[in-house]
Amino acid sequence: MYLSKEYKADIFAEFAGAAENTGSAEGQVALFTKRIAHLTEHLKKNRKDFNTQRSLQMLVGKRRSLLAYLYKKDINRYRAIIKGLGLRDIIK
C-alpha cells in the first residue's frame, strides 16, 4: 500500500505536531493532500477509472471543508498549512 503506517506517522508528525495526533485538522488536510496527489497520478494513466475519479472528487470536498473549518477557527493555522503544503488559497 502506498500509505504505510510509518509514512502516515511521518505526515502527522510534520503537520500535526505529533505522530499520535491523527485527529487534528492540519494532519487530516496533509493526509488528504498526499492521497489526492496519488489518485491524480493514477487517473493520468487510467482515464476511464470513474470510481477513482469519484473518490478523488470526494476527497477534494473533504479537504476543502476542513480548510474552511480552519479558516473560520484560526486563520494563522490555515495560512500555515496552506503554505506548508503549497496549496492555493481557495477560501475568500
Side-chain angles (χ1 to χ4, degrees):
M1 183 165 176
Y2 69 97
L3 287 176
S4 65
K5 287 184 180 182
E6 296 82 19
Y7 186 67
K8 285 183 186 180
D10 291 341
I11 290 172
F12 285 116
E14 181 180 351
F15 292 101
E20 298 83 24
N21 194 4
T22 58
S24 71
E26 293 93 342
Q28 291 293 318
V29 168
L31 185 63
F32 288 164
T33 302
K34 300 296 181 186
R35 288 176 62 194
I36 287 169
H38 177 75
L39 290 178
T40 302
E41 289 301 316
H42 172 77
L43 282 173
K44 286 180 182 176
K45 297 174 191 158
N46 305 290
R47 292 184 305 117
K48 295 187 178 184
D49 189 355
F50 299 115
N51 289 327
T52 302
Q53 185 177 0
R54 183 171 190 275
S55 298
L56 176 65
Q57 290 171 344
M58 289 172 45
L59 271 177
V60 170
K62 285 182 184 181
R63 182 179 69 178
R64 182 176 169 82
S65 66
L66 275 175
L67 286 172
Y69 167 79
L70 273 176
Y71 186 82
K72 285 190 291 187
K73 289 294 179 181
D74 190 359
I75 189 80
N76 294 327
R77 287 172 52 195
Y78 169 78
R79 288 182 180 147
I81 193 72
I82 291 293
K83 186 176 181 184
L85 293 172
L87 299 175
R88 287 183 294 161
D89 187 9
I90 57 173
I91 300 172
K92 300 294 177 190

